[in-house]
């Protein structure tokens, strides 16, 4: 039995102006303590892991409340963006509008709840039939909503990467958007396997969206490397061997090298003012 083709179409975007300031602040200031641990100091390796998480959030959803709670020497007013609008969010919504115009169903997987929640709220505001499934959804309700999407009762499924990376089959959906990656590369690959199935009737397209000059670049390279060598099998497992996670120390060093303070940014205010027109496209 022939397996349908899987095409990966990367999309690179600039950072928003406020987003770039938030990213820079968390790049230059490593956490000093856990947000919920009072003033108790943390080990260097744990601080490094927390910093990487902050950078990943800043590259996707710089308005995440968790960023404001980070205990570090970062400037309080630059720990978190004033708006959920970023070039990533705008491109994601625009891509969804294009695919809806073609009569397609779309899945979006986010490693962070904040982005998924905001995206789903915008889709509902534009009257798009959208479902939201993440770790806050009970397994029973998750199954019911997943079945609803498979019956084409909704056009868009916004998911948590970890919550939907295994145990589901959406062969009816041929388009998957990845606005950011999970830390574990096998989770990303297994999420792709939800739509790229042995019984998929149509070729599948994956759209990874990366913010240039950020931690996204290196994680995107790793995802591309794994995707090039992936093999689909009957049980849905993509790789015969254990996939190694990224080296945090190396990743952080590369994030420092990649970030360019003077790179072009996009005014989030312009993106925000463009929402009414984009909402009309989505509703149409």
């Amino acid at each position: 039995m022939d397996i349908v083709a899987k095409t990966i179409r990367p999309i690179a975007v600039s950072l928003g102006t406020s987003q770039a300031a938030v990213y820079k602040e968390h790049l230059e200031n490593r956490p000093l303590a856990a947000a919920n641990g009072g003033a108790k100091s943390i080990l260097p390796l744990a601080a490094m892991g927390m910093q990487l998480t902050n950078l990943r959030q800043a590259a996707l959803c710089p308005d995440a409340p968790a960023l404001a709670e980070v205990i570090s020497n970062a400037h309080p007013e630059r720990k978190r963006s004033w708006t959920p609008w970023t070039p990533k969010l705008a491109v994601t919504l625009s891509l969804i509008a294009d695919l809806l115009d073609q009569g397609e169903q779309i899945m979006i997987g986010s490693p962070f709840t904040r982005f998924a929640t905001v995206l789903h709220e915008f889709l509902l505001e534009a009257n798009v039939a959208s479902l939201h499934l993440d770790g806050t959804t009970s397994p029973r309700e998750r199954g019911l909503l997943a079945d609803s999407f498979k019956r084409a009762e909704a056009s868009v499924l916004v998911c948590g990467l970890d919550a939907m990376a295994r145990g589901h089959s959406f062969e009816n959906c041929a388009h998957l958007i990845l606005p950011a990656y999970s830390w574990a590369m096998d989770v990303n690959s297994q999420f792709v396997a939800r739509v790229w199935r042995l019984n998929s009737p149509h070729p599948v397209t994956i759209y990874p969206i990366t913010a240039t000059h950020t931690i996204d670049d290196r994680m995107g390279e790793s995802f591309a490397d794994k995707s090039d060598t992936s093999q689909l099998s009957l049980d849905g497992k993509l790789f015969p061997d254990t996939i190694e996670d990224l080296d945090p120390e190396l990743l952080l060093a590369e994030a420092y090298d990649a970030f360019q303070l003077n790179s072009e940014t996009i005014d989030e205010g312009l993106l925000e003012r463009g929402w009414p027109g984009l909402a009309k496209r989505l509703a149409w």
Side-chain angles (χ1 to χ4, degrees), residues 42-63:
I42 51 178
L43 296 175
L45 184 59
M48 188 182 303
M50 291 170 61
Q51 186 177 17
L52 287 169
T53 298
N54 295 336
L55 292 177
R56 290 170 56 225
Q57 285 197 89
L60 178 63
C61 44
D63 70 316

Side-chain angles (χ1 to χ4, degrees), residues 69-227:
E69 299 170 1
V70 172
I71 299 176
S72 72
N73 291 324
H75 192 289
E77 294 182 3
R78 292 192 290 270
K79 285 184 178 181
R80 180 189 180 199
S81 178
W82 60 273
T83 174
W85 280 102
T86 64
K88 264 193 187 182
L89 176 62
V91 166
T92 299
L93 287 166
S94 181
L95 178 56
I96 291 172
D98 291 340
L99 294 172
L100 289 177
D101 283 345
Q102 300 169 27
E104 300 287 351
Q105 282 188 295
I106 309 105
M107 280 183 64
I108 303 96
S110 170
F112 295 109
T113 301
R114 176 63 179 176
F115 181 85
T117 299
V118 168
L119 177 63
H120 180 59
E121 289 173 350
F122 276 121
L123 291 171
L124 292 182
E125 185 179 334
N127 294 318
V128 174
S130 172
L131 300 175
H132 181 198
L133 304 179
D134 61 14
T136 64
T137 312
S138 69
R140 181 179 180 279
E141 184 180 2
R142 211 179 299 167
L144 293 174
L145 293 176
D147 288 341
S148 177
F149 183 70
K150 291 184 68 171
R151 293 193 299 269
E153 294 173 359
S155 300
V156 181
L157 180 59
V158 183
C159 306
L161 273 178
D162 290 314
M164 301 297 287
R166 293 174 175 83
H168 296 275
S169 176
F170 299 106
E171 67 280 354
N172 56 299
C173 181
H175 298 273
L176 188 149
I177 301 173
L178 285 172
Y181 303 99
S182 169
W183 175 254
M185 286 294 116
D186 61 333
V187 170
N188 302 315
S189 301
Q190 288 290 349
F191 189 74
V192 170
R194 297 315 98 211
V195 298
W196 189 42
R197 313 293 294 177
L198 287 170
N199 58 338
S200 294
H202 305 292
V204 170
T205 305
I206 315 299
Y207 306 88
I209 305 177
T210 58
T212 57
H213 307 305
T214 71
I215 194 172
D216 282 359
D217 290 333
R218 180 63 185 91
M219 296 189 73
E221 291 172 4
S222 182
F223 173 74
D225 291 342
K226 299 300 183 184
S227 297

